[in-house]
Amino acid sequence: MQASSRAPAAAACSAMKPAHCTVLQIQIDRRGLECRDRFGTSKLSWAGMSSILHITGRSSVGNSALHQCQSPKRYIRRQRRRHSPVLQVGCNAIIGDQNESIATQFEEICKEVPKKLGAFYRFCRPHTIFGTIIGITSVSLLPMRSLDDFTTKVLWGFLEALSSALFMNVYVVSLNQLYDIRIDKVNKPSLPLASGEFSVATGAVLVLTSLIMSFIIGIRSRSAPLICALLISFFLGSAYSVDVPLLRWKRNAFLAASCILFVRAVLVQLAFFAHMQQHVLKRPLAPTKSVVFATLFMCCFSAVIALFKDIPDIDGDRHFGVESLSVRLGPQRVYWLCINILLTAYGAGILAGASSTKLFQMIITVFGHGLLGFALWKRAQQCDVENKAWITSFYMFIWKLFYAEYFLIPFVQ
């Protein structure tokens, strides 16, 4: 069959000169290789050509082969046009499958990204983040004397302090989760590490990244008060959570409360006030009435937060040997101890406001502290310490009171 199909080509070439036939054969072989590479055929033979010509309605194989010898380029181009609809359908099918696969992957990414962002939001413990933002903003406003103090330099100094503190905040809370995975499976199973949404490696990377970013921003600011605040926060946050000899201070009720109290009450008020007053505004460091009041009031509030946060976690703490005050005294006693501390602090706030020499500030501070104290007392009467959902909700209510206090502190003058 192959020999007979080559006969017309041989006859056509016999009428030509040998040199011309050799050139023609080379062109045909080259075209055959191109067709094989393009269409995936194993061999381009005259038999294959004759079958194609027969399908397309050619009656004379000899004439067709002779025409190919005379103009192989034109022949290949005509055959390509003739079969292009079939190839186009195949290419469209392949492209359609690829587009469908890309669309499916895009949909999966769109579903996965919000989940990861939500997990990261919970991983950062947003109530502590909000507390840091509101607290540092309020304290940074205390050195301001007039609108002329609100310059670009002051804004930049504030952003340096806030961003470095936020990264350090994430480091402290995420480090605690990294060492408390087993406890959180009992107390807070919705947290990303406890639920398995984040792996331990992911948590470790986030912890390390937050720490590095915090110190980079602090060192670049060249602010001694800010760097000091970051170093102390790093040490106390690590000592609170890291499970090595002489550390893991959260096991001891007094040491655990001292860590939170010192950072939230003393460090935030004094260090960030000094950063704005001394480093940014270049003024001599002198304590004001508002700074002293903020420090003392937040000592009470931070002690309450340190004690109250252990009430809903009593089951896991008792199981893993964490001797919190709630484990020792019982949740009911700790609950009312916290309420009485806060009510006493609000009473002191009313007295501080009443001693103000400016009528507007006096009205704001007296009325504000009285309203917050009444809201606390009213809600505290609905005590249900045995209900974990209720006590957790009340704990978040205390954090809202914590936020509200920072709005009142600038009016204490």
Side-chain angles (χ1 to χ4, degrees):
M1 179 65 182
Q2 186 173 359
S4 60
S5 62
R6 290 182 182 271
C13 290
S14 63
M16 301 180 184
K17 293 181 179 181
H20 291 170
C21 193
T22 302
V23 173
L24 180 59
Q25 184 65 34
I26 292 172
Q27 292 176 345
I28 293 174
D29 291 343
R30 186 184 305 162
R31 290 296 177 180
L33 291 173
E34 292 178 0
C35 292
R36 183 180 63 187
D37 292 339
R38 181 177 297 274
F39 300 109
T41 56
S42 61
K43 184 177 181 181
L44 185 64
S45 63
W46 282 103
M49 284 292 186
S50 62
S51 62
I52 293 174
L53 295 177
H54 177 72
I55 293 172
T56 56
R58 293 285 186 177
S59 59
S60 174
V61 176
N63 292 337
S64 176
L66 181 60
H67 182 71
Q68 182 181 4
C69 289
Q70 292 174 354
S71 183
K73 292 184 179 180
R74 188 182 305 169
Y75 177 80
I76 295 296
R77 192 161 48 247
R78 186 164 55 249
Q79 292 301 320
R80 187 184 302 168
R81 287 197 302 269
R82 183 169 297 170
H83 293 280
S84 61
V86 178
L87 296 176
Q88 187 173 2
V89 171
C91 291
N92 288 339
I94 295 173
I95 293 173
D97 293 340
Q98 292 177 347
N99 290 338
E100 184 178 354
S101 176
I102 293 173
T104 303
Q105 294 177 358
F106 182 74
E107 290 179 0
E108 292 178 355
I109 292 173
C110 289
K111 292 179 181 178
E112 192 68 18
V113 168
K115 292 182 180 179
K116 293 299 182 183
L117 291 177
F120 180 72
Y121 177 78
R122 286 180 279 113
F123 184 74
C124 294
R125 307 298 284 155
H127 60 280
T128 64
I129 294 292
F130 296 151
T132 299
I133 293 173
I134 296 172
I136 292 178
T137 302
S138 177
V139 171
S140 298
L141 291 175
L142 298 182
M144 306 301 166
R145 298 176 182 174
S146 64
L147 293 177
D148 294 335
D149 290 337
F150 292 91
T151 61
T152 304
K153 180 182 177 181
V154 171
L155 177 61
W156 182 253
F158 164 72
L159 291 177
E160 285 179 332
L162 181 62
S163 57
S164 60
L166 286 176
F167 278 116
M168 184 57 67
N169 192 118
V170 174
Y171 164 77
V172 171
V173 297
S174 56
L175 182 70
N176 183 61
Q177 294 176 64
L178 200 61
Y179 279 93
D180 280 3
I181 295 178
R182 293 188 303 164
I183 299 177
D184 288 339
K185 287 181 182 294
V186 179
N187 293 334
K188 304 179 184 74
S190 62
L191 291 179
L193 289 176
S195 64
E197 292 178 87
F198 283 172
S199 64
V200 175
T202 301
V205 169
L206 292 175
V207 168
L208 187 60
T209 302
S210 302
L211 180 64
I212 292 173
M213 290 299 299
S214 178
F215 277 122
I216 287 176
I217 298 172
I219 293 172
R220 285 178 61 88
S221 71
R222 298 181 181 179
S223 170
L226 180 58
I227 295 174
C228 181
L230 296 177
L231 287 173
I232 295 174
S233 298
F234 163 70
F235 171 73
L236 293 179
S238 302
Y240 180 87
S241 300
V242 175
D243 193 3
V244 296
L246 302 180
L247 296 183
R248 189 70 170 171
W249 290 0
K250 70 177 297 178
R251 290 197 185 103
N252 184 281
F254 175 77
L255 291 177
S258 298
C259 289
I260 298 174
L261 186 148
F262 189 81
V263 172
R264 286 287 176 186
V266 179
L267 205 61
V268 170
Q269 324 310 321
L270 300 183
F272 289 95
F273 175 82
H275 167 73
M276 296 299 295
Q277 176 85 353
Q278 190 176 41
H279 176 75
V280 178
L281 294 171
K282 305 299 181 182
R283 293 172 182 167
L285 185 61
T288 62
K289 179 181 177 180
S290 55
V291 172
V292 174
F293 171 79
T295 303
L296 295 176
F297 193 95
M298 287 304 167
C299 281
C300 299
F301 234 119
S302 299
V304 168
I305 288 176
L307 297 176
F308 207 98
K309 76 178 188 62
D310 294 329
I311 297 178
D313 296 344
I314 190 171
D315 294 333
D317 291 347
R318 184 184 291 116
H319 180 75
F320 289 97
V322 177
E323 296 183 0
S324 64
L325 203 63
S326 297
V327 173
R328 290 184 176 184
L329 303 180
Q332 191 78 21
R333 290 182 179 180
V334 175
Y335 173 83
W336 284 110
L337 175 63
C338 293
I339 299 301
N340 290 328
I341 291 175
L342 285 182
L343 290 176
T344 303
Y346 281 124
I350 292 174
L351 294 177
S355 65
S356 178
T357 57
K358 298 180 181 180
L359 180 62
F360 178 72
Q361 281 84 350
M362 182 183 69
I363 294 174
I364 292 295
T365 52
V366 170
F367 178 77
H369 286 104
L371 181 63
L372 294 178
F374 176 77
L376 172 66
W377 177 81
K378 189 71 175 176
R379 183 158 181 173
Q381 303 306 310
Q382 307 169 1
C383 173
D384 189 5
V385 178
E386 301 301 326
N387 188 335
K388 187 174 181 179
W390 185 90
I391 203 69
T392 302
S393 175
F394 194 89
Y395 174 65
M396 300 311 299
F397 173 72
I398 290 177
W399 272 98
K400 292 176 183 177
L401 295 177
F402 180 82
Y403 306 153
E405 183 59 31
Y406 273 112
F407 287 98
L408 295 177
I409 285 174
F411 293 99
V412 180
Q413 296 179 359

